[in-house]
Amino acid sequence: EHRAATGSALADRILGSWATSLPKFVQVFPLDFKAALAKAPAAPTAAGVDHLTPEEKEAISVDPNPDPKAKETDLEDVVSPKDRPIKVSDPKKRRGFIEYER
């Protein structure tokens, strides 16, 4: 899509040698997000409630018509405020940001 929309020569080169380009890509995954996912409660499996009627699902607080987007949670909602420093003693300011140990 990007190549079609922009006519990018770099995109042409990458897609032209996709087999050799793909291993050069890395996935960036923030450590805070990984920790938040580990703390998040596990969602009930679909196999465990599929046999129930909509009324039974509602009785056990399972949405009979689940919306996939409703299951998304924001990182700030998962990590408690006590996990993030509110005040930092002796802050080191770097280009407008405050550096603190995580």
Side-chain angles (χ1 to χ4, degrees):
E1 293 174 9
H2 171 76
R3 179 181 59 178
T6 63
S8 169
L10 177 60
D12 272 335
R13 284 196 311 259
I14 290 173
L15 293 173
S17 60
W18 184 245
T20 57
S21 297
L22 182 60
K24 295 178 184 177
F25 285 92
V26 296
Q27 180 180 11
V28 177
F29 201 76
L31 295 176
D32 292 344
F33 186 64
K34 186 176 182 179
L37 286 178
K39 286 182 184 179
T45 61
V49 295
D50 279 346
H51 66 283
L52 300 176
T53 66
E55 292 80 19
E56 292 171 326
K57 289 179 183 178
E58 189 174 338
I60 61 168
S61 300
V62 174
D63 188 358
N65 302 308
D67 177 16
K69 292 194 181 239
K71 293 181 182 178
E72 296 174 0
T73 55
D74 195 356
L75 180 62
E76 284 92 12
D77 296 337
V78 176
V79 178
S80 67
K82 67 180 179 178
D83 293 340
R84 295 181 299 204
I86 306 253
K87 247 184 181 178
V88 180
S89 60
D90 191 31
K92 297 176 185 119
K93 293 188 177 184
R94 308 264 189 229
R95 293 186 169 194
F97 296 95
I98 298 176
E99 183 180 297
Y100 62 91
E101 187 175 327
R102 292 179 178 245

